[in-house]
Amino acid sequence: MDSASPAPAAQVAAAAATTVLVTLASAQFLMTLDSSVMNVSIATVAEDVGTTVTGIQTAITLYTLVMASLMITGGKIGQILGRKRAFSIGCVIYGAGSFTTALAPSLPVLLLGWSLLEGMGAALIMPAIVALVASNFGRADRPRAYGLVAASGAIAVAAGPLIGGLMTTYASWRWVFAGEVVIVLGILVLARRMADVEPDRSARLDLTGTALSAAGLGLVVFGILQGGSWGFVNPKPSAPSWLGLSPVIWLVIAGGLVLRGFLGWERRRLARGEAALIDPAMLENKLLRGGLTSFFFQYLLQAGLFFAVPLFLSVSLGLSAIETGLRIMPLSVTLLLAAVGVPKFFPLASPRRVVRLGFLALFAGIVSLMLALEVGVGPEVVTVPMLLAGLGIGALASQLGAVTVSAVPDEESAEVGGLQNTLTNLGASIGTAVAGAVLISALTASFFAGIQGNPAVPEELSAQAEVNLAGGVPFIADDQLEAALADVGVTGDTATAVVEENTEARLDGLRTSLSVLAVIALVALFFSSGVPTRQPGAERVTDELPVPGTEPVRGADPP
């Protein structure tokens, strides 16, 4: 045999592995892009499809709701059909949804394409991505693979406003979805190169479990998403009230009870030897629990940060969508460097230590931004915080995917994918809701205190403002407030004083919201103790010595 032959073979294997990685990372990028790209185009989309901003926000909410509700079921379908086939079917459904959305003439069609079809497609694709990394890469290569895939999703969140701003300003938001169709077609072509484990022909879909999991997750996520509008515990003045409390608390409690019933149902099915969506015993696995909990906190912090920073740049400073996207881009740079660099240069680093350093970097980024927010500062103050936050998210992305999947046998990777994406969607929903609710609450309290203590603002105007804005002072730009005051006849020194108080109150709201996120980042450190101290590639992930005679559980070698 020619001694030179192994080198080309290795190059072919490496090229195939790269193709698989590009395919899965592209899919993850698409799954995350929609919500972030549309947040800067809501008003334009509403006008084009003949609806209101509330209608488009409903579409965004339903997309998250459908996706989160069906994640566990999507993971099980991947086990039954095969991960590669489920991935491809999900891409077809997602592509059909993108095509429908690109041509949508009205809100109902937009809801069908974007909220329903794309949400269903994502619920099949995202658990399959997790399982396909496990089947295409050995344990030693998984941290880097999962890091790149996770980084592509986080970069989509950061790049979304820039892409949306460019398309909306110079072409049309519809081209974003048309472009998604083209990318989906390319993913389907490349997906043929991926390896897959044999599907479980004996598995069956538990329809009752599907209904229970979807209902429970749907109630929890919907309740959390409505927290900013209705209030989390005490109802806002214009919100509905159930037994004197906000519907949010009742929805979350009801969802939790349904999910508890779902786990009990799954245990009974397994005890009878019947197929189940998940094995609840998986949740007793300390390493899996540690990885899932860290994922939850990562996405909570990430979503909260991506809620607060664009508001500061676009509303407080008046930057355009394109300028806002460019200011957030430094995060993408350090995120990618950390996600790729940590596995490459520190392949044997303790996952627990890297995760904790990631949360500390996020904490440092959030606190540095909180301290920098003052009246008169420019957009440059976000640069260092974004660099630090990117390092933190990238460090987390480089470890957590491999930690969760490697905590269980490879044949359970699809179920882990479903759980993982459920927790990340739940974390993102809570992060956005909490950041928004705290921001508006702090802004309102600061604004009322400011105008009451300002001699240039008449007492009757302060009292009228408290009545009209009892549900919360909106986070609006100074020029919008000036126009609104002029419409009701408030001008001169009084208007100037109100605008100045609003400027300070906006920053107070942002600082308070960021301070809550900083505390949550510290809390996450205490919940990271379940993350293992050894890399999956070094030996089977466990905090105990390996049993003599056992071999590490490995996934398929790269194709």
Side-chain angles (χ1 to χ4, degrees):
M1 181 179 293
D2 187 352
S3 60
S5 60
Q11 291 172 357
V12 170
T18 300
T19 300
V20 171
L21 197 52
V22 168
T23 305
L24 297 177
S26 299
Q28 185 72 42
F29 183 89
L30 276 186
M31 298 304 98
T32 316
L33 181 67
D34 272 4
S35 297
S36 63
V37 81
M38 293 301 282
N39 282 337
V40 298
S41 311
I42 288 176
T44 305
V45 178
E47 183 180 353
D48 283 357
V49 299
T51 186
T52 63
V53 169
T54 302
I56 302 303
Q57 289 173 333
T58 300
I60 295 173
T61 300
L62 287 177
Y63 171 67
T64 303
L65 199 61
V66 170
M67 186 168 53
S69 300
L70 297 177
M71 280 296 174
I72 293 176
T73 302
K76 188 64 176 182
I77 291 174
Q79 181 186 2
I80 296 171
L81 299 180
R83 284 74 165 173
K84 184 175 175 180
R85 181 176 296 176
F87 177 84
S88 298
I89 293 172
C91 285
V92 171
I93 296 173
Y94 191 91
S98 297
F99 182 76
T100 303
T101 304
L103 301 177
S106 62
L107 180 60
V109 179
L110 188 77
L111 292 172
L112 171 65
W114 187 12
S115 304
L116 182 61
L117 292 177
E118 288 196 25
M120 291 171 61
L124 285 171
I125 293 169
M126 295 178 77
I129 289 174
V130 176
L132 285 168
V133 171
S135 61
N136 282 271
F137 296 91
R139 285 179 177 261
D141 298 318
R142 286 180 195 169
R144 174 177 171 272
Y146 280 119
L148 283 171
V149 171
S152 67
I155 288 172
V157 177
L162 178 60
I163 296 172
L166 286 169
M167 288 295 180
T168 304
T169 303
Y170 298 111
S172 168
W173 61 271
R174 297 180 185 274
W175 284 106
V176 175
F177 292 93
E180 286 186 353
V181 177
V182 176
I183 295 173
V184 165
L185 293 174
I187 289 172
L188 286 170
V189 172
L190 294 175
R192 294 180 298 177
R193 302 286 299 275
M194 292 191 293
D196 193 11
V197 297
E198 285 295 319
D200 185 353
R201 303 296 182 187
S202 63
R204 296 291 181 270
L205 188 62
D206 172 17
L207 296 179
T208 302
T210 296
L212 287 172
S213 66
L217 290 168
L219 286 169
V220 171
V221 173
F222 179 69
I224 291 168
L225 290 172
Q226 292 298 112
S229 302
W230 293 347
F232 283 95
V233 179
N234 295 317
K236 293 187 175 181
S238 58
S241 174
W242 296 355
L243 300 178
L245 298 174
S246 169
V248 170
I249 189 68
W250 296 115
L251 289 169
V252 172
I253 290 173
L257 292 174
V258 173
L259 289 174
R260 185 178 179 86
F262 161 68
L263 293 176
W265 171 262
E266 297 298 284
R267 289 190 186 96
R268 287 193 293 274
R269 286 186 65 89
L270 289 170
R272 296 195 299 262
E274 298 173 344
L277 280 181
I278 63 168
D279 182 357
M282 290 172 60
L283 300 176
E284 298 173 8
N285 182 324
K286 179 186 175 183
L287 301 183
L288 176 60
R289 235 179 20 248
L292 292 176
T293 303
S294 295
F295 257 127
F296 171 81
F297 280 112
Q298 175 196 333
Y299 276 77
L300 188 158
L301 294 167
Q302 183 177 305
L305 195 60
F306 279 120
F307 175 85
V309 174
L311 275 181
F312 168 68
L313 293 172
S314 62
V315 178
S316 294
L317 300 185
L319 269 61
S320 67
I322 298 172
E323 292 170 326
T324 298
L326 287 172
R327 286 294 176 179
I328 297 175
M329 285 304 288
L331 178 142
S332 300
V333 175
T334 51
L335 189 157
L336 191 58
L337 287 174
V340 177
V342 171
K344 181 176 178 61
F345 296 106
F346 307 99
L348 299 180
S350 163
R352 185 185 300 171
R353 182 173 298 165
V354 174
V355 166
R356 286 179 169 171
L357 288 173
F359 282 127
L360 283 173
L362 263 172
F363 172 78
I366 292 168
V367 170
S368 63
L369 178 58
M370 180 179 69
L371 296 176
L373 294 183
E374 297 290 345
V375 175
V377 298
E380 67 280 354
V381 300
V382 307
T383 302
V384 171
M386 289 296 94
L387 290 171
L388 289 170
L391 282 174
I393 297 172
L396 293 166
S398 73
Q399 305 297 315
L400 293 180
V403 164
T404 55
V405 174
S406 298
V408 300
D410 285 351
E411 58 267 20
E412 295 180 0
S413 58
E415 290 93 323
V416 170
L419 286 171
Q420 176 180 307
N421 285 291
T422 297
L423 266 292
T424 56
N425 274 281
L426 188 60
S429 300
I430 292 176
T432 303
V434 168
V438 171
L439 187 152
I440 296 301
S441 177
L443 185 157
T444 301
S446 176
F447 179 74
F448 287 158
I451 61 174
Q452 287 171 359
N454 194 315
V457 181
E459 290 185 11
E460 59 272 18
L461 181 61
S462 298
Q464 184 181 359
E466 288 196 42
V467 172
N468 294 338
L469 300 174
V473 176
F475 196 96
I476 59 174
D478 290 343
D479 56 351
Q480 291 178 290
L481 180 58
E482 289 173 352
L485 290 171
D487 288 341
V488 295
V490 179
T491 57
D493 291 341
T494 300
T496 301
V498 172
V499 170
E500 288 176 352
E501 294 297 344
N502 179 65
T503 301
E504 183 62 51
R506 277 199 315 256
L507 293 178
D508 285 342
L510 284 166
R511 284 192 291 262
T512 305
S513 183
L514 290 169
S515 68
V516 171
L517 293 176
V519 171
I520 294 173
L522 291 179
V523 171
L525 286 172
F526 293 98
F527 281 91
S528 62
S529 59
V531 176
T533 57
R534 291 188 290 271
Q535 285 290 339
E539 56 183 290
R540 185 181 178 88
V541 179
T542 176
D543 282 339
E544 289 141 13
L545 292 174
V547 178
T550 60
E551 295 296 329
V553 176
R554 294 188 59 84
D557 290 331

